[in-house]
Amino acid sequence: MTDLHLVVPQPAPGEWYGRQDVLEALEAAGWTAADPEYPLSILRHPSGAVWAVTNECDDSSLDCPNGAVIAFPSDTPSVVITAACLAATHTPTP
């Protein structure tokens, strides 16, 4: 398995791209659209994790494979959301 290196640029003051940056980072890590009707707001990882934008304010949530659910308010930095999603899909090796 190769290491995944992601660069999530910070938007300039006053600019907001929604969660497009999280979506692109997760797709680069192997996540895919979970619902064809909402390709830009719900992603699934083969591990069973699901990340979704939950409203027009860009709040989002992560359903972890172990059943935990993490809510991210809209002011949560994209790098935090991306890191949490990637960590939720990691399977420790013995």
Side-chain angles (χ1 to χ4, degrees):
M1 173 188 256
T2 61
D3 292 339
L4 177 64
H5 299 278
L6 298 173
V7 176
V8 180
Q10 296 290 7
E15 290 185 65
W16 183 249
Y17 299 110
R19 292 298 179 194
Q20 185 70 28
D21 48 357
V22 174
L23 178 96
E24 290 173 355
L26 294 180
E27 284 181 332
W31 295 58
T32 57
D35 186 337
E37 292 186 33
Y38 302 100
L40 299 178
S41 62
I42 303 173
L43 293 179
R44 180 179 306 277
H45 186 268
S47 68
V50 176
W51 173 79
V53 175
T54 56
N55 60 36
E56 295 81 24
C57 296
D58 287 333
D59 295 337
S60 63
S61 67
L62 169 64
D63 293 358
C64 300
N66 67 1
V69 177
I70 303 168
F72 301 106
S74 61
D75 62 348
T76 304
S78 297
V79 295
V80 172
I81 297 171
T82 304
C85 290
L86 295 177
T89 63
H90 177 71
T91 304
T93 55

